[in-house]
């Protein structure tokens, strides 16, 4: 999984690969690991390479984590929001 740009402004692009079709959930976490709001994206994706555009326009500047959950498990990546 890769995220770009980092630091991000209003949007974050997430590129990831799936071994099989799966429901994919994206969550934003603060520095304490608490989820900010509800999952921002939860959708079924096909196997192979996928790219999502995550809207960050409602968040203030700071350091956050993006957690992606699939049937295979979850991955967490750190990013900085600097508008």
């Amino acid at each position: 999984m890769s995220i770009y740009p980092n630091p991000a402004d209003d949007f974050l692009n997430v590129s990831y690969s799936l071994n099989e079709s799966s429901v994919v959930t994206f969550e934003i976490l603060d520095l304490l690991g608490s989820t900010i709001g509800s999952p921002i994206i939860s959708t079924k994706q096909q196997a192979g390479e996928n790219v999502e555009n995550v809207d960050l326009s409602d968040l203030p500047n700071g350091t956050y984590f993006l957690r992606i959950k699939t049937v295979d498990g979850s991955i967490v990546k750190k990013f900085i929001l600097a508008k």
Side-chain angles (χ1 to χ4, degrees), residues 57-78:
S57 60
D58 291 340
L59 296 177
N61 290 345
T63 302
Y64 298 93
F65 296 94
L66 176 70
R67 177 170 47 204
I68 298 179
K69 295 180 185 178
T70 69
V71 294
D72 295 327
S74 64
I75 296 175
V76 177
K77 291 280 189 168
K78 179 176 147 181

Side-chain angles (χ1 to χ4, degrees), residues 16-26 39 41-47 50 52 67-75:
Y16 58 97
S17 180
L18 296 173
N19 294 326
E20 61 184 85
S21 294
S22 172
V23 172
V24 179
T25 303
F26 294 81
I41 299 173
S42 186
T43 182
K44 184 165 185 172
Q45 295 293 336
Q46 299 298 319
N50 294 281
E52 292 290 336
R67 177 170 47 204
I68 298 179
K69 295 180 185 178
T70 69
V71 294
D72 295 327
S74 64
I75 296 175

Side-chain angles (χ1 to χ4, degrees), residues 27-42:
E27 297 174 316
I28 302 292
L29 309 173
D30 63 17
L31 287 173
L32 299 175
S34 300
T35 303
I36 297 175
S38 58
I40 52 174
I41 299 173
S42 186

